Amino acid sequence: MLISLLALFTLAPLALAQNETFLAGFVATLQSAGLTQLISIAGTLNGTANGQALLANISNGSPHLLFAPNDAAWAMAPSNETSDNNTLLDTFSYHIVPGNFSNVDTMYQNVTLGQTLYSDPATVHLEGNRPQVVAWTVRSDGKTHVLNQRNDSTVVNTTAFGNITIYIVDHVLHVPENLAAAATANDALPAFDTVLSSASLAFYNSSTNQTSDVTFFDAFDSGYRGFTLFAPNTAAVNASNSTLQSLVSNRTAINNILYNHLINGTTVYSPLLAGSEKYTSAAGQTLSFSINATGQYVTLGNITATIVQPDILLPNGVIHIIDQVLLDTDNDPSAASSA
Ligand SMILES: *[C@@H]1O[C@H](CO)[C@@H](O)[C@H](O)[C@H]1NC(C)=O
Ligand SMILES: *[C@@H]1O[C@H](CO)[C@@H](O)[C@H](O)[C@H]1NC(C)=O
Ligand SMILES: *[C@@H]1O[C@H](CO)[C@@H](O)[C@H](O)[C@H]1NC(C)=O
Ligand SMILES: *[C@@H]1O[C@H](CO)[C@@H](O)[C@H](O)[C@H]1NC(C)=O
Ligand SMILES: *[C@@H]1O[C@H](CO)[C@@H](O)[C@H](O)[C@H]1NC(C)=O
Ligand SMILES: *[C@@H]1O[C@H](CO)[C@@H](O)[C@H](O)[C@H]1NC(C)=O
Ligand SMILES: *[C@@H]1O[C@H](CO)[C@@H](O)[C@H](O)[C@H]1NC(C)=O
Ligand SMILES: *[C@@H]1O[C@H](CO)[C@@H](O)[C@H](O)[C@H]1NC(C)=O
Ligand SMILES: *[C@@H]1O[C@H](CO)[C@@H](O)[C@H](O)[C@H]1NC(C)=O
Ligand SMILES: *[C@@H]1O[C@H](CO)[C@@H](O)[C@H](O)[C@H]1NC(C)=O
Ligand SMILES: *[C@@H]1O[C@H](CO)[C@@H](O)[C@H](O)[C@H]1NC(C)=O
Ligand SMILES: *[C@@H]1O[C@H](CO)[C@@H](O)[C@H](O)[C@H]1NC(C)=O
């Protein structure tokens, strides 16, 4: 009985029928917007079971937002992101966001986040198997930009079919890269990178059952499923240099400082870092947040840092760049473990 129930649930997504009438109208809309490559890719995916499930989801009549790369965008996309059917499915599903986002126009630094249909367990490692999100915002040029992209990716036109809003974009969107790649790509992070690479912590590796010292960098990149890291920019790290240097021989103190920049186990995107929401750092201290016309802030004790770049998305968490080190060497293990 259990086995047949499991089989039923496993097969359930394939049973979802595509609405052929809907998809024909949808494809005609893409056609008149000149999106011939996108139609061809949908056709390729339609030859695979997972691709069919994706098209069934789009055609179910409920509201969706589709980021639709134009033909020039597909021509520029790296071939490793479009060549095999699995990567193509990951890429395509990252462009689809169920939900109604009409009348949602956030101005940077405020950001809109949408949970996409990209949830490949091989590459998305958020807590609770949550699907990956995509982040976008209107910048001062008046255009909608997708965040975290190697190439500035903007919405160049919009159209719609039924409940599907189509944002035509000038680049194929890349799915989030790991911490090492994201940190290397960000000009503000080299000093913090160095701190993460030189500080170490005891880390339990569940595939070998061994506990060993690894760098924070390696721990975040491989072992963590769901985290929020407040990463001080290089100016902030340099401004705290003498204090950090004086503590360098005290591993407990350095680790506590790093743990106070971390919400462990929970990926908290910027829209939730506001108002009365409080989180407990991995060192058991209270992090509180505020937002006003000047910016968004994180407070620990008597230090309030400005979030200078929100929502750097990772396969297993999120980074917000801040302009001060949250210099607090205190640790409250009981508060940390109950968080
Ligand atoms: C399929 O889509 C068409 C056109 O959008 C709609 O009129 C029809 O009700 C849909 N059929 C089903 C079964 O949802
Ligand atoms: C998917 O394939 C089915 C049958 O093979 C076809 O009827 C349908 O038009 C295709 N849909 C798209 C969007 O290519
Ligand atoms: C990708 O899917 C198409 C069906 O749309 C199939 O013809 C092709 O063989 C698949 N490619 C690979 C490498 O599996
Ligand atoms: C669009 O979505 C709304 C809300 O989910 C639904 O009530 C409406 O029937 C949908 N419209 C179409 C054309 O499917
Ligand atoms: C494709 O290659 C580029 C560099 O050539 C790399 O940065 C990217 O992560 C690769 N993408 C995938 C999906 O492997
Ligand atoms: C935007 O789309 C509309 C309708 O499809 C079209 O008339 C217009 O030329 C497009 N604008 C650009 C800049 O591509
Ligand atoms: C790790 O421990 C688990 C449970 O105790 C066990 O099933 C697994 O085989 C161990 N793995 C290794 C590599 O020792
Ligand atoms: C930080 O302090 C160390 C030791 O005092 C010094 O060698 C290093 O140059 C300083 N770095 C910066 C960026 O100020
Ligand atoms: C190291 O730092 C911890 C945490 O701040 C502190 O409790 C401890 O006394 C320090 N040890 C030394 C030798 O200074
Ligand atoms: C974060 O949570 C994981 C999983 O519960 C745990 O293994 C790890 O030790 C925690 N890290 C810190 C710094 O608290
Ligand atoms: C961001 O949102 C906050 C809170 O709603 C608001 O006070 C602020 O003016 C907004 N900033 C921008 C640039 O729209
Ligand atoms: C916004 O909050 C910050 C941090 O509390 C404060 O320094 C700043 O003056 C506030 N700005 C406005 C316009 O209220």
Side-chain angles (χ1 to χ4, degrees), residues 247 250-254 256 329-331:
L247 291 171
N250 185 338
R251 175 167 155 170
T252 308
I254 291 287
N256 287 350
T329 59
D330 289 341
N331 190 0

Side-chain angles (χ1 to χ4, degrees), residues 1 3 7 17 32 60 78 81 93 103 106 108 113 130 162 182 231 253 260 275 278 294 314 333:
M1 183 57 191
I3 288 171
S32 58
N60 71 7
E81 293 184 1
S93 56
N103 308 319
T106 44
Y108 193 73
L113 285 120
R130 280 205 252 156
N260 274 321
K278 292 190 194 326
T294 327
L314 305 174

Side-chain angles (χ1 to χ4, degrees), residues 78 80-81 87 150 177:
N80 65 344
E81 293 184 1
T87 325
R150 270 179 243 142
E177 302 178 284

Side-chain angles (χ1 to χ4, degrees), residues 108-191:
Y108 193 73
Q109 277 194 160
N110 294 339
V111 168
T112 304
L113 285 120
Q115 198 167 53
T116 69
L117 293 180
Y118 169 49
S119 61
D120 183 347
T123 46
V124 181
H125 298 140
L126 294 168
E127 68 274 25
N129 299 321
R130 280 205 252 156
Q132 187 53 270
V133 301
V134 61
W136 67 94
T137 186
V138 179
R139 291 201 189 262
S140 54
D141 60 7
K143 293 182 183 165
T144 299
H145 297 249
V146 181
L147 300 185
N148 293 293
Q149 296 300 309
R150 270 179 243 142
N151 302 297
D152 183 23
S153 303
T154 60
V155 175
V156 294
N157 211 344
T158 62
T159 181
F161 176 75
N163 269 331
I164 304 192
T165 302
I166 300 168
Y167 279 5
I168 300 173
V169 280
D170 59 358
H171 288 90
V172 174
L173 305 182
H174 299 288
V175 304
E177 302 178 284
N178 67 12
L179 176 62
T184 308
N186 196 299
D187 294 344
L189 291 179

Side-chain angles (χ1 to χ4, degrees), residues 189-272:
L189 291 179
F192 188 60
D193 257 24
T194 307
V195 175
L196 288 182
S197 318
S198 49
S200 64
L201 76 173
F203 182 71
Y204 176 74
N205 184 331
S206 59
S207 53
T208 59
N209 293 340
Q210 306 276 323
T211 298
S212 57
D213 278 2
V214 301
T215 67
F216 273 77
F217 215 86
D218 289 341
F220 288 134
D221 239 354
S222 53
Y224 280 58
R225 274 186 174 259
F227 67 90
T228 305
L229 185 62
F230 296 93
N233 60 18
T234 293
V237 174
N238 288 347
S240 297
N241 188 40
S242 60
T243 310
L244 292 172
Q245 292 292 336
S246 73
L247 291 171
V248 102
S249 61
N250 185 338
R251 175 167 155 170
T252 308
I254 291 287
N255 284 10
N256 287 350
I257 291 172
L258 286 171
Y259 291 153
N260 274 321
H261 290 76
L262 172 69
I263 302 169
N264 193 12
T266 311
T267 306
V268 192
Y269 303 108
S270 65
L272 291 175

